[in-house]
Amino acid sequence: MLLSLVLHTYSMRYVLPAAVMLGTAPTYILAWLGWRLFSLFLPGARIYQEVDDRFYTIYQSMVLFFFENYTGVQIILYGDLPKHKENIIYLSNHQCTVDWIVADILAIRQNALGHVRYVLKNGLKWLPLYGWYFSQTYLVIFPEGTRYNPELTKVISASQTYAAEQGLAVLKHVLTPRIKATYVAFDCMKNYLDAIYDVTVAYEGTVDQMGKRKEAPSMTEFLCKECPKVHIHIDRIDKKDIPEEQLSMRRWLHDRFEIKDKLMIEFYDSPDSQRRSKFPGKCINSKLSLKKTLPSLLFLGGLTASMLMTESGRKLYVKTWIYGTVIGCLLVSIKV
């Protein structure tokens, strides 16, 4: 009985956040749809975009309430710490589903949360209600194309073999990056960009009893407070320092991942135990204020609760889930 109680308590750590984040989805979609229809009668697209960004900020701020304030995770920042909002492409190593949250973690600290979009794997575009929305724009890119998982030795071996065949440096703690998404995004956006943020992420607690790296936490594990610290290293690269020709950019991108690999080797494999579980250089512990997240939780939670209190509201809520999911899948199918 005691074990059952412990397991129940453990599961509730993520059931509550998941229920709130998914449960407010119809409310968010209805609010956005109402604004979208109203904006059709407004001159120009700028007003629509500003309010759309604000809607997105509200929802993502609520998500960050759970992933930062609720979990109590410490965010440790290194390198070029952003001080103001910029137009950027965010390049990062990819280990788990929490990686996209890390992009939000940095964006909210620049007051740029509403502008973040993601390059998604095709499967993720079929997420109920949200997949089609997340896949509309290119900004956050994971050039490895898939997650680095130390348990998937065949994937790592294939990546290393490919690098060796191409005359590229063989990487240990990251996969060989692919150039296509980065090149297309930069080529399309270069007239509007300020910089590329080269971001390297490491999750504390991802070492087994033998001292070897293990799989990064899933969203469920993260919400169960199994990751005490997230270490984020940022290199800001000015647009003028990035090669525009595809072959040159490919070499440049691999060089950047060599730098990431060295950072990760320091984090996991440094012979000096005092230097492990952190990146080299100065760092700051960046705490997110409740003022930036709690109001969004109360706003969306209150709207959703109000809708569910009436029979007509409950019917509208269910229909939004059903029809919103179907229409979203159709939109994705048309794009594909």
Side-chain angles (χ1 to χ4, degrees):
M1 182 176 179
L2 180 60
L3 178 59
S4 298
L5 180 61
V6 170
L7 291 174
H8 178 71
T9 303
Y10 179 85
S11 66
M12 284 303 295
R13 288 182 177 181
Y14 69 85
V15 168
L16 175 61
V20 174
M21 287 187 283
L22 291 174
T24 55
T27 308
Y28 172 79
I29 293 298
L30 284 171
W32 173 83
L33 183 60
W35 166 245
R36 185 71 183 104
L37 293 174
F38 178 76
S39 69
L40 295 176
F41 302 97
L42 298 175
R46 184 174 179 179
I47 297 176
Y48 160 73
Q49 191 61 56
E50 288 180 357
V51 177
D52 178 67
D53 288 346
R54 185 56 191 160
F55 273 127
Y56 193 67
T57 297
I58 290 172
Y59 182 79
Q60 295 293 68
S61 296
M62 181 194 69
V63 169
L64 286 178
F65 168 83
F66 290 108
F67 278 90
E68 282 206 59
N69 303 116
Y70 172 80
T71 63
V73 65
Q74 293 184 51
I75 304 301
I76 313 299
L77 301 179
Y78 306 76
D80 303 324
L81 306 181
K83 291 183 170 57
H84 55 84
K85 188 186 299 185
E86 294 186 288
N87 295 321
I88 62 109
I89 291 175
Y90 172 110
L91 299 180
S92 176
N93 58 320
H94 192 20
Q95 304 161 80
C96 61
T97 50
V98 182
D99 291 337
W100 72 271
I101 296 292
V102 175
D104 287 350
I105 284 171
L106 290 182
I108 198 171
R109 286 160 170 79
Q110 286 183 280
N111 295 316
L113 188 57
H115 304 279
V116 178
R117 297 293 186 271
Y118 313 89
V119 175
L120 296 178
K121 294 175 70 173
N122 285 335
L124 296 179
K125 294 177 183 179
W126 301 95
L127 286 171
L129 295 181
Y130 285 121
W132 67 274
Y133 190 75
F134 286 160
S135 66
Q136 290 190 75
T137 324
Y138 290 80
L139 209 79
V140 176
I141 302 173
F142 303 109
E144 290 160 288
T146 192
R147 302 171 202 163
Y148 179 100
N149 182 344
E151 297 176 7
L152 300 180
T153 55
K154 289 185 178 179
V155 174
I156 297 171
S157 178
S159 175
Q160 293 174 339
T161 299
Y162 174 78
E165 291 174 348
Q166 298 297 314
L168 301 169
V170 174
L171 307 173
K172 180 179 180 181
H173 282 292
V174 293
L175 300 177
T176 303
R178 304 176 185 183
I179 186 59
K180 184 177 179 180
T182 304
Y183 174 74
V184 171
F186 184 82
D187 189 58
C188 292
M189 302 180 189
K190 60 188 176 184
N191 294 330
Y192 310 98
L193 286 177
D194 297 306
I196 281 182
Y197 288 0
D198 183 11
V199 179
T200 306
V201 180
Y203 298 93
E204 196 161 306
T206 51
V207 176
D208 63 20
Q209 294 179 345
M210 302 297 292
K212 293 185 177 181
R213 183 180 177 183
K214 64 179 183 179
E215 187 177 3
S218 66
M219 283 193 176
T220 298
E221 291 167 338
F222 197 93
L223 288 170
C224 286
K225 307 182 182 183
E226 292 190 12
C227 180
K229 295 180 182 179
V230 178
H231 298 259
I232 308 171
H233 188 283
I234 308 149
D235 276 332
R236 183 191 182 279
I237 304 162
D238 196 273
K239 178 179 68 173
K240 63 180 175 58
D241 297 324
I242 301 164
E244 296 186 15
E245 195 271 327
Q246 186 168 355
L247 289 178
S248 299
M249 185 181 287
R250 180 192 181 203
R251 176 77 256 181
W252 172 86
L253 183 62
H254 196 84
D255 289 345
R256 295 308 311 177
F257 269 72
E258 281 190 67
I259 295 172
K260 290 180 183 297
D261 201 42
K262 290 176 182 177
L263 288 170
M264 297 297 276
I265 288 172
E266 184 81 4
F267 190 91
Y268 286 106
D269 303 330
S270 175
D272 184 352
S273 61
Q274 298 298 316
R275 295 170 62 179
R276 284 185 222 136
S277 297
K278 61 183 178 181
F279 292 134
K282 294 181 179 180
C283 66
I284 64 167
N285 187 339
S286 179
K287 187 175 177 60
L288 182 63
S289 171
L290 275 172
K291 293 179 181 179
K292 288 196 171 187
T293 59
L294 185 58
S296 295
L297 172 66
L298 296 176
F299 175 73
L300 284 174
L303 282 181
T304 303
S306 299
M307 182 183 298
L308 295 176
M309 289 176 67
T310 65
E311 183 178 354
S312 59
R314 289 191 291 273
K315 289 180 178 179
L316 179 60
Y317 180 90
V318 173
K319 288 180 179 179
T320 302
W321 258 116
I322 297 172
Y323 295 124
T325 299
V326 172
I327 293 171
C329 289
L330 288 174
L331 288 172
V332 171
S333 298
I334 293 171
K335 287 185 178 183
V336 172

